[in-house]
């Protein structure tokens, strides 16, 4: 098991608070790198995948851009651009409300649902691989500690 100091190639001890923050940041990037090849094989990004899962979770109800943005894992994502790219790929549709032209409804298409159906088992496997070194108890504890950290 490689320690953070080895990964960062430093001989100096890292203060515990900094080590914790760096370890979390490094792990987040590592996780993204582990799932990226799966999504790349389907020609979508992590952020586009997140939008599709949000829309699937609406179970046929429309979402608007703000609703999607509020549910995004990466709040820095340009939601409009992500939705536009998904529209071009045929995974999402956007409709302007007839009663209120400023209101835009966004839906996942059948093609988008099929894509998620195809991706899900591969992402499940990647997530299993990522967490395989931890027991159920360790995973529960890690989730508790990360939630506590953000509180």
């Amino acid at each position: 098991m490689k320690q953070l100091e080895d990964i960062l190639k430093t001989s100096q001890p890292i203060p515990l608070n900094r080590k914790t923050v760096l370890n979390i940041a490094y792990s987040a990037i590592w996780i993204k790198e582990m799932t990226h090849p799966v999504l790349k094989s389907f020609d979508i990004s992590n952020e586009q995948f997140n939008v599709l899962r949000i829309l699937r979770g609406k179970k046929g109800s429309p979402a608007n851009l703000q609703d999607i943005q509020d549910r995004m894992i990466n709040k820095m994502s340009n939601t409009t651009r992500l939705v536009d790219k998904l529209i071009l790929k045929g995974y999402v549709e956007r409709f302007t409300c007839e009663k209120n032209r400023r209101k835009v409804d966004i839906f996942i298409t059948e093609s988008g649902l099929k894509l998620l159906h195809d991706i899900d088992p591969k992402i499940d496997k990647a997530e299993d691989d990522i967490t395989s070194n931890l027991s159920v108890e360790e995973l529960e504890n890690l989730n508790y500690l990360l939630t506590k950290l953000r509180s």
Side-chain angles (χ1 to χ4, degrees):
M1 182 166 47
K2 237 180 174 179
Q3 294 297 315
L4 186 63
E5 289 84 358
D6 297 332
I7 293 166
L8 299 177
K9 297 179 174 46
T10 182
S11 57
Q12 299 296 317
I14 302 171
L16 187 57
N17 287 350
R18 182 173 304 142
K19 183 176 182 175
T20 302
V21 171
L22 288 172
N23 226 331
I24 292 168
Y26 182 82
S27 297
I29 292 166
W30 175 77
I31 289 168
K32 193 170 182 178
E33 288 173 353
M34 296 291 287
T35 57
H36 179 75
V38 172
L39 298 175
K40 186 176 181 185
S41 70
F42 290 94
D43 191 33
I44 66 167
S45 67
N46 281 293
E47 294 78 13
Q48 290 170 350
F49 180 57
N50 190 206
V51 169
L52 289 173
R53 289 191 301 181
I54 290 166
L55 292 172
R56 176 175 61 187
K58 298 292 286 180
K59 299 185 186 317
S61 297
N64 60 48
L65 286 171
Q66 187 60 52
D67 188 29
I68 294 169
Q69 180 70 38
D70 290 345
R71 295 169 186 241
M72 290 288 293
I73 292 171
N74 180 357
K75 304 288 186 202
M76 301 306 291
S77 297
N78 182 337
T79 310
T80 303
R81 183 181 53 80
L82 291 171
V83 168
D84 288 344
K85 286 186 175 186
L86 291 169
I87 289 169
L88 288 173
K89 293 177 181 184
Y91 301 139
V92 167
E93 292 178 320
R94 175 176 39 213
F95 298 98
T96 303
C97 181
E98 292 180 18
K99 294 179 181 177
N100 180 355
R101 308 276 308 153
R102 291 179 292 173
K103 184 173 185 250
V104 176
D105 291 332
I106 302 163
F107 295 88
I108 190 167
T109 63
E110 285 300 319
S111 180
L113 289 171
K114 179 177 180 339
L115 177 72
L116 288 177
H117 180 265
D118 294 344
I119 292 175
D120 284 342
K122 292 176 173 37
I123 287 293
D124 289 345
K125 173 149 181 12
E127 289 170 349
D128 286 346
D129 291 347
I130 290 165
T131 59
S132 65
N133 290 335
L134 302 176
S135 69
V136 171
E137 184 179 328
E138 288 170 324
L139 289 169
E140 288 170 348
N141 194 33
L142 178 59
N143 276 280
Y144 169 77
L145 291 172
L146 290 170
T147 301
K148 185 175 179 180
L149 179 74
R150 293 188 310 272
S151 296

